[in-house]
Amino acid sequence: MVGYCPICGKPVYFGEKKRSLGRDYHPLCLKCQECKRQLTPGQHAEHDEKPYCTHCYMRNFGPRGNRRVVSHSYHNTAST
């Protein structure tokens, strides 16, 4: 049975498929939707049925604390 690539919608034949997270992709279609980096099957995250590398996924959809890291330095100016 031939599956269809969720990215391009074309048939994915057995000899060319990359199976990841229950879906069959063409090798060139399995890339991050944001940064376009090629992904390894099973080593990525999905949002709205689209693949993302872990970095882009955490930046865009992860817990609020992972979206932007802001560092503040506080100095004690009280004299002793």
Side-chain angles (χ1 to χ4, degrees), residues 33-58:
Q33 291 297 296
E34 188 164 319
C35 70
K36 307 300 183 204
R37 185 173 63 181
Q38 287 298 125
L39 300 172
T40 304
Q43 301 296 316
H44 62 88
E46 283 189 346
H47 183 75
D48 289 336
E49 299 182 0
K50 294 183 176 138
Y52 290 87
C53 68
T54 10
H55 177 73
C56 290
Y57 179 85
M58 290 303 288

Side-chain angles (χ1 to χ4, degrees), residues 12-53:
V12 181
Y13 298 102
F14 182 78
E16 66 180 344
K17 73 179 178 181
K18 295 285 184 180
R19 186 142 182 96
S20 184
L21 301 179
R23 295 189 171 95
D24 294 334
Y25 294 88
H26 293 110
L28 296 178
C29 291
L30 186 56
K31 59 186 171 185
C32 177
Q33 291 297 296
E34 188 164 319
C35 70
K36 307 300 183 204
R37 185 173 63 181
Q38 287 298 125
L39 300 172
T40 304
Q43 301 296 316
H44 62 88
E46 283 189 346
H47 183 75
D48 289 336
E49 299 182 0
K50 294 183 176 138
Y52 290 87
C53 68

Side-chain angles (χ1 to χ4, degrees), residues 57-76:
Y57 179 85
M58 290 303 288
R59 186 177 63 225
N60 293 315
F61 313 111
R64 186 178 187 112
N66 289 335
R67 291 185 189 183
R68 177 175 283 175
V69 177
V70 179
S71 177
H72 295 285
S73 295
Y74 296 98
H75 298 286
N76 186 357

